[in-house]
mmCIF file of all heavy atoms in Angstrom:
data_model
loop_
_atom_site.group_PDB
_atom_site.id
_atom_site.type_symbol
_atom_site.label_atom_id
_atom_site.label_comp_id
_atom_site.label_asym_id
_atom_site.label_seq_id
_atom_site.Cartn_x
_atom_site.Cartn_y
_atom_site.Cartn_z
ATOM 1 N N HIS I 143 -37.611 75.585 -4.617
ATOM 2 C CA HIS I 143 -36.820 74.408 -5.025
ATOM 3 C C HIS I 143 -37.390 73.782 -6.303
ATOM 4 O O HIS I 143 -36.639 73.340 -7.165
ATOM 5 C CB HIS I 143 -36.759 73.395 -3.874
ATOM 6 C CG HIS I 143 -36.256 74.012 -2.605
ATOM 7 N ND1 HIS I 143 -35.036 74.649 -2.542
ATOM 8 C CD2 HIS I 143 -36.828 74.151 -1.377
ATOM 9 C CE1 HIS I 143 -34.865 75.131 -1.320
ATOM 10 N NE2 HIS I 143 -35.944 74.840 -0.597
ATOM 11 N N GLN I 144 -38.721 73.762 -6.409
ATOM 12 C CA GLN I 144 -39.353 73.252 -7.639
ATOM 13 C C GLN I 144 -38.948 74.110 -8.831
ATOM 14 O O GLN I 144 -38.609 73.589 -9.904
ATOM 15 C CB GLN I 144 -40.889 73.268 -7.468
ATOM 16 C CG GLN I 144 -41.635 72.632 -8.624
ATOM 17 C CD GLN I 144 -41.415 71.122 -8.696
ATOM 18 O OE1 GLN I 144 -41.745 70.391 -7.772
ATOM 19 N NE2 GLN I 144 -40.819 70.640 -9.797
ATOM 20 N N ALA I 145 -38.964 75.437 -8.652
ATOM 21 C CA ALA I 145 -38.617 76.357 -9.749
ATOM 22 C C ALA I 145 -37.156 76.189 -10.168
ATOM 23 O O ALA I 145 -36.832 76.220 -11.354
ATOM 24 C CB ALA I 145 -38.890 77.798 -9.319
ATOM 25 N N VAL I 146 -36.282 75.977 -9.203
ATOM 26 C CA VAL I 146 -34.851 75.779 -9.492
ATOM 27 C C VAL I 146 -34.662 74.505 -10.325
ATOM 28 O O VAL I 146 -33.938 74.498 -11.326
ATOM 29 C CB VAL I 146 -34.042 75.710 -8.172
ATOM 30 C CG1 VAL I 146 -32.629 75.206 -8.407
ATOM 31 C CG2 VAL I 146 -34.024 77.077 -7.491
ATOM 32 N N ILE I 147 -35.352 73.427 -9.934
ATOM 33 C CA ILE I 147 -35.253 72.154 -10.670
ATOM 34 C C ILE I 147 -35.850 72.306 -12.069
ATOM 35 O O ILE I 147 -35.239 71.901 -13.063
ATOM 36 C CB ILE I 147 -35.938 71.017 -9.864
ATOM 37 C CG1 ILE I 147 -35.094 70.700 -8.623
ATOM 38 C CG2 ILE I 147 -36.149 69.779 -10.727
ATOM 39 C CD1 ILE I 147 -35.757 69.780 -7.624
ATOM 40 N N ASP I 148 -37.021 72.938 -12.157
ATOM 41 C CA ASP I 148 -37.686 73.117 -13.458
ATOM 42 C C ASP I 148 -36.811 73.920 -14.419
ATOM 43 O O ASP I 148 -36.861 73.720 -15.626
ATOM 44 C CB ASP I 148 -39.033 73.839 -13.288
ATOM 45 C CG ASP I 148 -40.072 72.972 -12.596
ATOM 46 O OD1 ASP I 148 -39.836 71.750 -12.462
ATOM 47 O OD2 ASP I 148 -41.118 73.514 -12.183
ATOM 48 N N ALA I 149 -36.030 74.855 -13.865
ATOM 49 C CA ALA I 149 -35.188 75.713 -14.710
ATOM 50 C C ALA I 149 -33.890 75.005 -15.117
ATOM 51 O O ALA I 149 -33.098 75.558 -15.877
ATOM 52 C CB ALA I 149 -34.870 77.014 -13.979
ATOM 53 N N GLY I 150 -33.678 73.786 -14.592
ATOM 54 C CA GLY I 150 -32.482 73.021 -14.955
ATOM 55 C C GLY I 150 -31.197 73.615 -14.386
ATOM 56 O O GLY I 150 -30.112 73.404 -14.945
ATOM 57 N N GLU I 151 -31.306 74.314 -13.262
ATOM 58 C CA GLU I 151 -30.113 74.924 -12.641
ATOM 59 C C GLU I 151 -29.140 73.836 -12.170
ATOM 60 O O GLU I 151 -29.562 72.767 -11.721
ATOM 61 C CB GLU I 151 -30.523 75.774 -11.433
ATOM 62 C CG GLU I 151 -31.372 76.983 -11.764
ATOM 63 C CD GLU I 151 -30.589 78.082 -12.457
ATOM 64 O OE1 GLU I 151 -29.454 78.357 -12.035
ATOM 65 O OE2 GLU I 151 -31.122 78.654 -13.422
ATOM 66 N N LYS I 152 -27.864 74.142 -12.270
ATOM 67 C CA LYS I 152 -26.848 73.176 -11.808
ATOM 68 C C LYS I 152 -26.448 73.450 -10.358
ATOM 69 O O LYS I 152 -25.850 72.616 -9.695
ATOM 70 C CB LYS I 152 -25.596 73.254 -12.693
ATOM 71 C CG LYS I 152 -25.874 72.816 -14.117
ATOM 72 C CD LYS I 152 -25.938 71.275 -14.199
ATOM 73 C CE LYS I 152 -26.326 70.786 -15.590
ATOM 74 N NZ LYS I 152 -27.792 70.631 -15.775
ATOM 75 N N GLU I 153 -26.757 74.673 -9.886
ATOM 76 C CA GLU I 153 -26.491 74.946 -8.461
ATOM 77 C C GLU I 153 -27.600 75.812 -7.878
ATOM 78 O O GLU I 153 -28.282 76.562 -8.585
ATOM 79 C CB GLU I 153 -25.114 75.593 -8.248
ATOM 80 C CG GLU I 153 -24.928 76.916 -8.901
ATOM 81 C CD GLU I 153 -23.548 77.520 -8.617
ATOM 82 O OE1 GLU I 153 -22.642 76.818 -8.130
ATOM 83 O OE2 GLU I 153 -23.404 78.721 -8.884
ATOM 84 N N SER I 154 -27.760 75.641 -6.563
ATOM 85 C CA SER I 154 -28.681 76.494 -5.824
ATOM 86 C C SER I 154 -27.990 76.826 -4.501
ATOM 87 O O SER I 154 -26.769 76.696 -4.404
ATOM 88 C CB SER I 154 -30.026 75.804 -5.605
ATOM 89 O OG SER I 154 -30.954 76.731 -5.056
#
Side-chain angles (χ1 to χ4, degrees):
H143 306 303
Q144 186 69 61
V146 167
I147 290 170
D148 290 348
E151 295 288 317
K152 295 282 175 270
E153 62 178 14
S154 188

